[in-house]
Amino acid sequence: MKQYLTFLKEFGANRDSVGAVVPATSQLGDTLSKFLANKDKTPRSILEVGPGTGTITKQIITKLNRGDELVLVEVNHQFCQLLDEKIKGDWKSILEGINCQIECCVMEDLDPSKKFDFIISSLPLNNFSHQEVKSILDSYQKLLNPDGKLSYYEYLYVREIQKKLSLLRHNEDRLSTYALLENFIQNYQVEAEDVYANFPPAVARHFSFQRRPVISKAVKPLEQKKGKP
């Protein structure tokens, strides 16, 4: 309950940076972290950007091995405190043997010489200015290993709706943001999965800077077994 109250409080105070009314679902978190299930390469280094209250983080840590490294980058100090409590409490046994640390800063402040095998991001890119998005996308590329995977999500159809509104309002900066994101997706996306078991429904996008063919599919809500309420 505490994480939801904290999330709602921070959403009201920081709508542009939080970007959601409720935390992501476990199914969205599982879809975003799907490539971690392949444990051929160890130890691995994982960066989660904008973990918030940790709903996606929880799915990430279930896929980690001893010796892996997990860095959580969160700009919101209330969320940092909540994540620290979970690392020292509820997640302590799961994280045994895993180097887990919190960086309470923006991603651009990380040491650029540090490289990660996976980056999983919850940043609401559609809410940011063109210059902010450009800086974030540049950081993704600088921080990711050449054969690494980047995964992030956005809400279904939101960018399309915001684009039409921005055209009506002649908001050139936002239109530039959407063009930049669409170009990034066109150039680097390797897979996209619609996740309907989330509010609002979302699309999980996976990227590689070693370009491969695009795959798109939908992930529907899990069906309840017969006899279960």
Side-chain angles (χ1 to χ4, degrees), residues 48-60:
E48 185 185 5
V49 186
T53 58
T55 54
I56 292 174
T57 315
K58 188 175 181 180
Q59 300 306 309
I60 292 172

Side-chain angles (χ1 to χ4, degrees), residues 108 126-127 146 160 172-173 181:
E108 293 90 327
N126 290 311
N127 292 357
E160 290 85 348
E172 297 297 333
D173 186 74
L181 287 170

Side-chain angles (χ1 to χ4, degrees), residues 30-219:
D30 189 55
T31 304
L32 283 170
S33 60
K34 59 181 285 183
F35 291 109
L36 294 177
N38 183 353
K39 301 181 179 182
D40 291 342
K41 180 181 178 181
T42 53
R44 303 168 299 174
S45 185
I46 300 98
L47 172 66
E48 185 185 5
V49 186
T53 58
T55 54
I56 292 174
T57 315
K58 188 175 181 180
Q59 300 306 309
I60 292 172
I61 63 178
T62 61
K63 298 179 175 72
L64 300 183
N65 291 334
R66 283 177 171 270
D68 285 344
E69 177 187 29
L70 175 62
V71 178
L72 308 176
V73 176
E74 174 58 60
V75 70
N76 185 294
H77 289 274
Q78 293 298 320
F79 289 158
C80 288
Q81 182 178 349
L82 184 61
L83 291 166
D84 185 60
E85 291 173 1
K86 289 186 175 183
I87 289 171
K88 295 175 179 177
D90 294 345
W91 299 343
K92 185 176 180 180
S93 59
I94 306 174
L95 289 170
E96 188 174 349
I98 295 165
N99 178 13
C100 182
Q101 55 187 293
I102 301 171
E103 297 287 347
C104 203
C105 65
V106 295
M107 179 177 54
E108 293 90 327
D109 287 345
L110 291 177
D111 181 356
S113 66
K114 174 67 177 174
K115 303 297 179 185
F116 296 90
D117 299 306
F118 300 92
I119 297 177
I120 297 172
S121 176
S122 297
L123 295 182
L125 297 178
N126 290 311
N127 292 357
F128 298 153
S129 71
H130 176 270
Q131 188 55 47
E132 288 171 329
V133 172
K134 185 178 184 304
S135 177
I136 291 167
L137 297 181
D138 286 346
S139 292
Y140 287 154
Q141 291 181 288
K142 290 175 183 175
L143 293 167
L144 193 67
N145 277 324
D147 59 346
K149 291 285 194 312
L150 162 69
S151 301
Y152 73 69
Y153 76 92
E154 61 180 332
Y155 296 123
L156 280 171
Y157 312 119
V158 165
R159 181 155 32 85
E160 290 85 348
I161 294 169
Q162 290 182 341
K163 187 175 180 179
K164 291 179 179 179
L165 292 174
S166 296
L167 281 167
L168 292 172
R169 296 168 181 167
H170 304 288
N171 190 331
E172 297 297 333
D173 186 74
R174 281 298 173 92
L175 290 172
S176 295
T177 293
Y178 306 143
L180 180 62
L181 287 170
E182 287 161 9
N183 186 63
F184 185 79
I185 291 168
Q186 182 67 31
N187 287 333
Y188 301 113
Q189 180 174 279
V190 293
E191 190 171 332
E193 302 179 54
D194 294 343
V195 182
Y196 299 113
N198 192 75
F199 181 79
V203 53
R205 300 190 183 278
H206 306 285
F207 301 85
S208 170
F209 298 120
Q210 296 178 341
R211 181 61 189 268
R212 289 188 294 277
V214 175
I215 301 170
S216 295
K217 62 181 179 179
V219 178

